[in-house]
Amino acid sequence: MLPSQSYGNISFFQPPAFLMIGIPGLEAIHSWISISFSTMYTAALTGNCLILLAVKRTPSLHQPMYYFLSMLALTDVGLTFSTLPTTLALLWFDHRLIGFNACLVQMFFLHSFSVVESSVLLAMSFDRFVAISNPLRYAAVLTNNVIIRIGLAIVIRASVSLFLVPFLLKRRNFCPGKILLSHSFCFHADVMKRACADITVNILYGLYVVLSTLVADSLLVVLSYTLILHTVMHLVSLKKCAWALNTCVSHILAVLIVYIPVIGVSMIHHFGRHLPAIVHTLVAYLYLVVPPVLNPIIYSVKSKPIREAMLGVLMRQG
């Protein structure tokens, strides 16, 4: 029997654990699907760790642009580890249970790293704006102390924004018959729907977090690139114009592979309730698993210094 507590005339229930579905309709081939996920997780961890080692061991990369790239790589490692244990445990061993408190902890870190990633992408757009609009003062503006402060501000912002989310869910009354989660990890929108109580506060707070972080960041990124384009259009030399835009390509691609799935997840959760459950699940995986895999590939392909430094790390390891 699952325990319940009584407060006055109100029966208060919290499940000791949730049961994760995984990928709805494809349970019979989870072992085969695990090959793809194992490959993606391995690629994400390997690629991002290589970037971190490359920047650390290459003095010529000790510049603001690559420090921010290291922040992005470290965030992607954290985001990968947020979903990896439960996803692979489910796909490999059919282990579907996750404790209630463990679910809240996973949810906090998962969403916190998502906010951190969005903030880092915003910081990288600011870095590109300063480098292109005022290159002579670039090193003076983005000093090591400034970069450290930006990094601390990003972590504090994410922690403060998501701090109340687990506690708001902890106070909710859950339904004994609604302990199935639609994913192989704890997603806020998924968990709060399992509550029997009024979740208006949770919905409004979740909306506030999204608007004040992801939406605000995306608008500021667009503003940054509007200013960058304005600056580039006033460059006399076509060669300088092409160089300036080329330095932004990797970041633009990174922004797109993060924000497009975010928009997809938000749209589906608000307007796609009639869609099959597998669509919700696949979009969530696209949002959480794919960016950590693609970011190292994008930067290694588009940035020659990073590519050479990563190859240098591999050769030294070999």
Side-chain angles (χ1 to χ4, degrees):
M1 291 291 293
L2 297 173
S4 63
Q5 297 172 319
S6 181
Y7 295 88
N9 295 325
I10 301 174
S11 179
F12 183 78
F13 172 83
Q14 282 182 349
F18 287 108
L19 189 65
M20 298 175 292
I21 294 177
I23 303 179
L26 300 178
E27 292 86 351
I29 58 171
H30 271 176
S31 57
W32 290 103
I33 295 173
S34 69
I35 297 174
S36 298
F37 276 89
S38 300
T39 302
M40 286 191 291
Y41 281 131
T42 301
L45 293 175
T46 302
N48 286 292
C49 287
L50 275 175
I51 286 179
L52 291 171
L53 288 173
V55 174
K56 179 182 178 182
R57 296 181 179 182
T58 310
S60 62
L61 297 184
H62 294 175
Q63 302 174 34
M65 174 182 177
Y66 301 110
Y67 288 146
F68 286 123
L69 177 57
S70 295
M71 291 183 193
L72 183 64
L74 189 59
T75 303
D76 282 338
V77 169
L79 192 59
T80 299
F81 275 121
S82 296
T83 61
L84 183 150
T86 51
T87 299
L88 293 187
L90 188 151
L91 295 176
W92 282 350
F93 309 112
D94 199 35
H95 183 77
R96 298 172 181 270
L97 285 177
I98 180 170
F100 182 80
N101 290 326
C103 180
L104 296 184
V105 170
Q106 183 189 45
M107 182 184 65
F108 173 79
F109 281 105
L110 187 155
H111 290 293
S112 293
F113 279 118
S114 296
V115 172
V116 168
E117 183 161 54
S118 175
S119 302
V120 171
L121 289 173
L122 174 59
M124 294 174 79
S125 70
F126 174 70
D127 166 80
R128 289 299 83 207
F129 169 68
V130 174
I132 292 171
S133 64
N134 201 344
L136 296 179
R137 287 186 49 79
Y138 177 62
V141 172
L142 290 172
T143 62
N144 289 344
N145 285 335
V146 169
I147 293 171
I148 291 172
R149 289 175 185 174
I150 290 174
L152 289 174
I154 287 172
V155 173
I156 292 171
R157 179 199 190 200
S159 301
V160 171
S161 297
L162 276 300
F163 180 75
L164 288 179
V165 171
F167 294 100
L168 288 174
L169 286 172
K170 188 78 172 174
R171 294 172 58 87
R172 292 290 169 259
N173 185 29
F174 286 78
C175 299
K178 296 175 66 177
I179 61 171
L180 287 175
L181 297 181
S182 303
H183 310 293
S184 60
F185 47 80
C186 292
F187 207 58
H188 178 250
D190 192 23
V191 175
M192 73 177 181
K193 290 177 183 177
R194 272 57 191 167
C196 289
D198 182 12
I199 58 171
T200 302
V201 173
N202 300 73
I203 293 173
L204 292 177
Y205 188 76
L207 182 61
Y208 160 74
V209 171
V210 171
L211 291 175
S212 63
T213 56
L214 300 177
V215 174
D217 290 349
S218 62
L219 292 176
L220 289 173
V221 168
V222 171
L223 175 61
S224 297
Y225 274 100
T226 301
L227 296 174
I228 288 172
L229 286 174
H230 181 266
T231 301
V232 168
M233 289 174 64
H234 287 81
L235 293 177
V236 177
S237 170
L238 289 177
K239 186 176 181 179
K240 287 184 178 180
C241 179
W243 173 84
L245 292 175
N246 189 55
T247 62
C248 299
V249 171
S250 298
H251 179 252
I252 292 172
L253 292 175
V255 167
L256 291 177
I257 65 172
V258 168
Y259 284 115
I260 288 177
V262 166
I263 294 171
V265 168
S266 300
M267 295 293 288
I268 283 180
H269 273 294
H270 285 91
F271 307 109
R273 295 184 178 90
H274 63 285
L275 295 173
I278 191 171
V279 175
H280 291 256
T281 303
L282 292 178
V283 172
Y285 282 124
L286 182 67
Y287 160 51
L288 293 170
V289 179
V290 173
V293 176
L294 292 184
N295 282 334
I297 296 173
I298 289 171
Y299 277 94
S300 62
V301 170
K302 296 299 298 181
S303 175
K304 185 178 178 180
I306 284 291
R307 182 170 62 252
E308 291 178 345
M310 290 173 71
L311 289 174
V313 170
L314 289 173
M315 291 176 67
R316 282 197 292 269
Q317 294 295 323

